[in-house]
Amino acid sequence: MNRPDFPTAKVKVRKALMLGINEQEIIEKIMYGRATAASQLPASFMRGYNREIVRPAYEPELAKKLLAEAGYPNGFSIDFHVTNNRYIMDKEIGVAIAQQLSKIGVRVNLMARPKEIHFKDVRAKKLDFYMMGWGEATFDTARLLGSFLKTGAVWNGSELSDKKFDQMLEQADQIASLEKRGEALAKLNRYVADNVYVIPLHYQQDIYGISKKLKGFEPKVKKTLSINHLYFE
């Protein structure tokens, strides 16, 4: 997003890409219903989640119109990088997105690689369009958004540098009152959504398989297991 000559530097192109991804189809056919469509980066239980943000519906025709208005009536080509060993059905999701975007004229060259290579290249700012996931143990939107979008952040692979975003994040992060902090972060979340700085896909579900002999097992939202509380009969 830091290169004016690159398609995704334009907000209309980013909106078109989001409108061209049929997330409901991905959830139903690839995730077998084991995911929830996302309208924003933080999940609903996190501080700063904005309940007024609604994920736009899949509208390929509107996406084509926006691409034309942005100067790409015939679409464009782009490399799309995903992992093949990190997230549930990550490669399959990448294939689906590539196919869906082809319907609005975006020619996607899909690159599916191991997470070790993928994450290294994201941090090195080598990728133009890529998929990422995040688990935030603080349950606070500030660290989540800052990790991906703050100027100079390690995981800001798009090299976005938005002074207004940085200022809003800094101000929100200095608020001690949890209620007021949540309100400030919700406004920041709205700003990110309006500018389509990220294209949210879904919140995946953790799926466990356990023996009937195992007692005391309870899935935790932090994805941690208290082994000392488990026992076998």
Side-chain angles (χ1 to χ4, degrees):
M1 288 186 280
N2 68 329
R3 289 162 45 193
D5 61 322
F6 200 74
T8 52
K10 297 183 178 181
V11 66
K12 284 189 176 183
V13 171
R14 300 196 295 272
K15 287 181 178 179
L17 292 175
M18 188 164 185
L19 292 170
I21 295 176
N22 189 339
E23 177 55 37
Q24 199 55 45
E25 183 178 63
I26 291 174
I27 291 175
E28 293 174 0
K29 296 184 178 181
I30 297 178
M31 301 299 289
Y32 298 98
R34 299 294 185 179
T36 303
S39 63
Q40 53 202 285
L41 278 185
S44 59
F45 54 79
M46 292 180 64
R47 186 177 302 108
Y49 179 82
N50 192 322
R51 300 188 181 282
E52 295 181 358
I53 299 175
V54 178
R55 182 185 180 84
Y58 171 58
E59 293 190 68
E61 294 306 314
L62 177 56
K64 293 178 184 178
K65 181 175 182 292
L66 289 174
L67 286 178
E69 292 176 357
Y72 299 96
N74 300 314
F76 57 87
S77 299
I78 194 169
D79 292 337
F80 179 36
H81 295 260
V82 303
T83 54
N84 58 13
N85 63 347
R86 177 63 182 92
Y87 310 110
I88 299 175
M89 306 299 281
D90 44 11
K91 180 182 177 181
E92 290 78 6
I93 292 171
V95 171
I97 290 176
Q99 293 174 342
Q100 292 170 354
L101 292 182
S102 69
K103 296 178 182 179
I104 65 171
V106 177
R107 298 169 293 280
V108 176
N109 177 32
L110 183 66
M111 308 285 285
R113 301 176 300 167
K115 62 181 184 294
E116 295 81 5
I117 299 174
H118 181 79
F119 294 154
K120 181 179 179 180
D121 283 350
V122 171
R123 292 193 298 267
K125 325 298 185 189
K126 291 183 177 181
L127 311 181
D128 294 322
F129 190 40
Y130 58 90
M131 185 169 70
M132 282 284 291
W134 194 266
E136 184 49 63
T138 68
F139 303 114
D140 191 279
T141 303
R143 182 171 180 269
L144 173 63
L145 293 181
S147 297
F148 281 120
L149 302 173
K150 184 179 179 180
T151 300
V154 173
W155 293 106
N156 183 357
S158 67
E159 296 191 85
L160 172 71
S161 183
D162 183 335
K163 292 182 179 179
K164 182 176 180 179
F165 169 86
D166 291 343
Q167 184 179 38
M168 291 176 69
L169 176 63
E170 183 178 0
Q171 291 175 346
D173 208 17
Q174 293 176 354
I175 300 175
S177 165
L178 297 185
E179 181 179 355
K180 292 182 179 179
R181 181 185 179 89
E183 293 173 356
L185 289 172
K187 290 180 181 178
L188 179 60
N189 218 9
R190 173 86 265 176
Y191 181 77
V192 171
D194 288 345
N195 286 281
V196 199
Y197 282 151
V198 294
I199 299 176
L201 294 177
H202 56 252
Y203 310 115
Q204 67 181 28
Q205 295 179 11
D206 290 335
I207 302 173
Y208 300 90
I210 61 174
S211 168
K212 291 182 179 180
K213 297 179 180 179
L214 181 65
K215 304 298 180 180
F217 175 78
E218 182 180 350
K220 298 182 183 299
V221 71
K222 286 188 177 182
K223 302 182 181 180
T224 58
L225 296 178
S226 300
I227 303 299
N228 59 314
H229 292 160
L230 305 179
Y231 64 95
F232 286 93
E233 287 188 347

